[in-house]
């Protein structure tokens, strides 16, 4: 057995040193080094033993072979079959399904629905033997949630309430599962590190041991992680470097909708997004978000504009709401929900400088309906239209939508995937759409029933809307 040794680890960034330091040379934090006792390769040995046992029982073709230099042109190109999660939104964000031997990190705020999403997905996979390891909840709590999500439970779903990494690998060795889920990685601790669960050293060592197991055995591992008050994943940054895929589960708890975004994906695109609706019986997939995000009745209401936005490769229509009123306390307020505050200030400056509307003494409040946070630049035109509509108290007519990025000189700049935006607006029954004139070069207007209104400047767009 390997001899124990003492290390000093920075509690802020995880930097290791053989002696105590007053200031961390990596992150610059003072008085952050903690003494820990590092035992022999306990977690690594357990991971190797579990991987060897699972590999022998499954004879997995995806397990990593012994390391040896190989010529790049001699490596066979093979498309590994993905595991169907029986969830179209989750499969889209993962890039087509779960890759064997991959390690995926699912993060989100407390109570947003990470465990609910994971459990309801596992309940739909009776063909796979799954080991669900919970370090936060008891088996009774998991059973209560499962009864709310599904009337039937597959026999292949096994639940384990354990926080010791070595004991988890022992159970994996006995069960030989097809998928392993750890809920959550901040509650798991290994005997090789003498510190409390959730510390930077524990999270790093546990994640590294789970990575060795996943790559050696070919069994995919799903880690559920907490986020800190800054909104980033708790633990060292190396945790995000270790895993293959990082998925963020976002949304306001006061709204029904949740968004699943991929911030890192070694097996697919990071531009995909999945949308769910939180209900009493779990999360429901939203296949057509446009119909849910647009209010049915806004005729006669000023300050409402519809835009055709794209998140990833998915077009949907979003309702932009604005309220402009006289500043009551002298200093005007600028508030945006679901939209970048700094970009709103820029668009208000463009509206005042290039179009001539004075908003210096006006409060401006902007909201994206449905609790969504949209980063598409094509929202600019609808933001300006909604602000102006509220300022002059004149509603935009029914059947109009728009898309376009606004530059500092007041020009309407081209946007990506205009044909998809037009098709989405036409599908939902809109009769008119304002588009950038620079995008009209390769657009066949005859194949659309919706009327296209190309504009080059903001003044032209507002003149088209309000006459």
């Amino acid at each position: 057995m390997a001899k124990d040794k003492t290390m000093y680890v920075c509690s802020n960034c995880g930097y290791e040193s053989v002696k105590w330091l007053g200031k961390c040379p990596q992150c610059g934090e003072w008085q952050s080094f903690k003494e820990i006792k590092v035992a022999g390769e306990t977690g690594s040995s357990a991971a190797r033993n579990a991987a060897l046992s699972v590999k022998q029982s499954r004879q997995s073709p995806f397990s990593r072979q012994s390391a040896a230099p190989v010529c790049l042109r001699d490596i066979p190109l093979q498309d590994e079959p993905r595991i169907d999660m029986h969830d179209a939104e989750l499969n889209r964000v993962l890039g087509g399904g779960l890759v064997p031997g991959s390690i995926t990190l699912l993060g989100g705020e407390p109570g947003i629905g990470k465990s609910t999403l994971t459990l309801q997905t596992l309940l739909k996979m009776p063909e796979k033997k799954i080991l669900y390891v919970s370090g936060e909840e008891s088996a009774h709590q998991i059973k209560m949630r499962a009864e709310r999500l599904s009337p039937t439970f597959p026999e292949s779903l096994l639940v384990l309430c354990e926080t010791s990494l070595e004991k988890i690998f022992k159970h994996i060795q006995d069960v030989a599962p097809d998928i392993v889920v750890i809920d959550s990685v901040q509650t798991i601790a290994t005997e090789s590190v003498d510190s409390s669960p959730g510390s930077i050293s524990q999270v790093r060592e546990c994640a590294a041991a789970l990575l060795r197991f996943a790559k050696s055995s070919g069994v995919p591992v799903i880690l559920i992680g907490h986020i800190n008050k800054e909104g980033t994943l708790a633990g060292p940054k190396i945790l995000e470097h270790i895993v293959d895929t990082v998925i963020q589960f976002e949304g306001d708890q006061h709204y029904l909708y949740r968004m699943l975004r991929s911030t890192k994906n070694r097996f697919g695109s990071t531009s995909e997004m999945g949308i769910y609706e939180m209900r009493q019986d779990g999360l429901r997939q939203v296949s057509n978000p446009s119909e849910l995000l647009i209010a049915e009745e806004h005729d006669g209401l000023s300050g409402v504009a519809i835009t055709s936005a794209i998140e990833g490769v998915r077009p949907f229509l979003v309702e932009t709401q604005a309220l402009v009123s006289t500043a009551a306390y002298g200093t005007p307020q600028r508030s945006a929900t679901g939209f970048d505050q700094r970009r709103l200030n820029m668009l208000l400056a463009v509206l005042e400088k290039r179009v001539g509307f004075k908003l210096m003494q006006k409060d401006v409040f902007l909201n994206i309906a449905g609790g969504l946070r949209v980063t598409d630049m094509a929202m600019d035109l609808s933001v300006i239209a909604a602000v102006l509509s509220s300022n002059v108290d004149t509603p935009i007519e029914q059947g109009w939508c728009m898309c376009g990025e606004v530059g500092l000189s007041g020009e309407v700049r081209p946007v990506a995937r205009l044909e998809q935006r037009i098709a989405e607006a036409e599908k939902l029954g809109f009769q008119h759409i304002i588009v950038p004139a620079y995008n009209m070069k390769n657009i066949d207007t005859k194949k659309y029933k919706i009327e296209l209104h190309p504009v080059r400047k903001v003044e032209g767009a507002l003149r088209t809307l309000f006459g």
Side-chain angles (χ1 to χ4, degrees), residues 73-183:
R73 64 182 179 184
D74 296 335
I75 300 175
L77 184 62
Q78 56 182 7
D79 189 14
E80 297 183 355
R82 295 176 181 256
I83 300 173
D84 184 12
M85 305 300 290
H86 301 284
D87 187 320
E89 301 295 309
L90 182 57
N91 282 337
R92 180 189 294 112
V93 176
L94 289 173
L98 194 63
V99 176
S102 65
I103 182 166
T104 303
L105 177 62
L106 173 62
E109 295 182 355
I112 203 69
K114 304 182 296 295
S115 300
T116 301
L117 174 64
T118 305
L119 186 57
Q120 79 171 26
T121 303
L122 301 180
L123 289 171
K124 299 176 184 176
M125 305 174 64
E127 73 279 1
K128 298 291 183 181
K129 181 184 288 187
I130 303 168
L131 181 62
Y132 185 90
V133 181
S134 177
E136 299 177 341
E137 298 176 307
S138 65
H140 182 65
Q141 290 175 300
I142 298 173
K143 179 64 180 294
M144 291 175 60
R145 179 187 289 120
E147 286 181 341
R148 180 169 52 89
L149 298 175
S150 175
T152 59
F153 312 119
E155 296 181 358
S156 58
L157 178 57
L158 307 176
V159 176
L160 172 64
C161 297
E162 183 58 67
T163 58
S164 171
L165 182 66
E166 285 73 23
K167 293 181 180 179
I168 290 173
F169 281 131
K170 181 65 172 61
H171 288 287
I172 291 176
Q173 188 174 350
D174 297 336
V175 174
D178 298 320
I179 300 175
V180 175
V181 179
I182 307 293
D183 184 10

Side-chain angles (χ1 to χ4, degrees), residues 439-456:
N439 278 111
M440 296 301 295
K441 296 180 181 179
N442 300 321
I443 301 295
D444 184 11
T445 58
K446 296 180 180 180
K447 65 179 182 179
Y448 298 111
K449 296 181 181 179
I450 187 173
E451 185 175 353
L452 307 182
H453 299 270
V455 294
R456 294 186 178 275

Side-chain angles (χ1 to χ4, degrees), residues 1 129 148 297 318 346 364 374 380 389 402 434 456:
M1 187 174 179
K129 181 184 288 187
R148 180 169 52 89
E297 294 294 337
V318 182
M346 186 204 77
V364 180
V374 185
D380 292 353
S389 171
M402 62 208 74
I434 299 177
R456 294 186 178 275

Side-chain angles (χ1 to χ4, degrees), residues 21-37:
L21 300 174
K23 180 182 179 181
C24 178
Q26 181 165 300
C27 66
E29 193 75 13
W30 287 90
Q31 304 292 332
S32 61
F33 276 87
K34 307 294 181 183
E35 180 181 357
I36 64 170
K37 292 182 179 180

Side-chain angles (χ1 to χ4, degrees), residues 32 43 52 71 76 157 164 170 220 249 252 272 292 448 450 459:
S32 61
L52 181 61
C71 184
L157 178 57
S164 171
K170 181 65 172 61
F249 206 34
D252 193 330
E272 293 289 358
L292 297 176
Y448 298 111
I450 187 173
E459 305 95 291

